Amino acid sequence: MIRRILALTSGRIALGLLAAVALLAVFGPLLAPQDPLEGTADILASPSGAHLLGTDYLGRDVLSRLLDGSRVSVLGAVQVALIALVVGVVPGILSVYLGRPFEWVTLRLADTLVALPFLVFAVAVTALLGNGIPQAMFVVGIMVSPLFYRVARAATLSVARSPYVEAAIVAGASVGWVVRKHVWVKVLPPIAVALANTTGVGFVIVSSLTFLGIGVQPPAPTWGGVLASDLGYLSFQPWAPLAPTALIMATVWACNLLADAIRDVTGEAGQALLNRRKVANGSPVAP
């Protein structure tokens, strides 16, 4: 799948941007030119050689705060996606095989979670368990999990009615064996698309919560927190919100672009792309 994605221009762009964001998350705090928490007398300074993106209302270097805050923003988004993946996919697949009672209960739980406002619950949980990104993202991941549940369930239903799957069950194959050998291969592509989309949603949620001051302890930097601090001084620095906004938008756009690329290479368009590459290499094309 990775090779097919890299064969698309959109896939290369998306993976390149996400790789850059991942590198920022890993090395960003080390690359910060100054202490992101240390204030100076140079308040609301314009971009210069000493401060490439200027300083905020406390004289802290904005570039250093964005680099240092990238780790929290990225890890929060990944945590949302992984929790939603685990909580949603397993019940979605098993709901097809474990009988009507399990199916009914999981469907009602999914409907209930869809109806609940996840931002409100994230705020409530952080108030109960402490103001931290892991607590907030755990709740948000559970609230987003119905997306994975429905995707996994729909994909499993399409495979479960296949003659070879029914034949395997009649022959005495266990549910686990059927899922590993037949179902998972068919369910993986739509789940990969949902995972890429959910990661982008996770970035938006993390940025929204940190913009409101939820999930982080001041003065810890985050992309949303830097954006919030900039908006209070637009009359002095009208350009200040551009950098954090560009980071958030580019990351979310890359996630959505990757989701589109995965969808393209795993459907009929993906088979057509594979056939064109076989023709170019002189290999026979399957009918």
Side-chain angles (χ1 to χ4, degrees), residues 24-25 27-29 31-33 62-71 223:
L24 282 180
F27 299 107
L31 298 175
V62 174
L63 176 60
S64 299
R65 290 183 63 77
L66 287 175
L67 290 174
D68 190 74
S70 58
R71 181 172 297 176
W223 291 352

Side-chain angles (χ1 to χ4, degrees), residues 219-281:
T222 59
W223 291 352
V226 172
L227 177 60
S229 64
D230 290 336
L231 293 180
Y233 300 91
L234 288 178
S235 58
F236 300 97
Q237 293 181 323
W239 65 86
L242 294 179
T245 302
L247 282 174
I248 296 170
M249 290 180 60
T251 305
V252 175
W253 179 73
C255 291
N256 293 333
L257 193 63
L258 179 60
D260 291 340
I262 295 173
R263 181 201 60 202
D264 291 341
V265 302
T266 54
E268 294 182 0
Q271 186 60 45
L273 174 64
L274 183 61
N275 290 339
R276 287 198 300 269
R277 294 182 66 183
K278 287 182 177 179
V279 170
N281 295 330

Side-chain angles (χ1 to χ4, degrees), residues 16-42:
L17 285 174
L18 292 177
V21 172
L23 289 175
L24 282 180
V26 175
F27 299 107
L30 302 177
L31 298 175
Q34 300 183 26
D35 187 347
L37 304 180
E38 182 180 356
T40 64
D42 200 6

Side-chain angles (χ1 to χ4, degrees), residues 166-224:
E166 294 179 349
I169 294 177
V170 170
S174 65
V175 173
W177 187 91
V178 171
V179 170
R180 290 194 307 272
K181 296 296 183 180
H182 298 298
V183 175
W184 183 246
V185 177
K186 301 294 184 181
V187 173
L188 183 59
I191 288 178
V193 174
L195 182 63
N197 273 324
T198 305
T199 304
V201 172
F203 272 102
V204 174
I205 294 172
V206 172
S207 301
S208 301
L209 291 176
T210 54
F211 179 86
L212 298 173
I214 299 169
V216 292
Q217 295 290 345
T222 59
W223 291 352

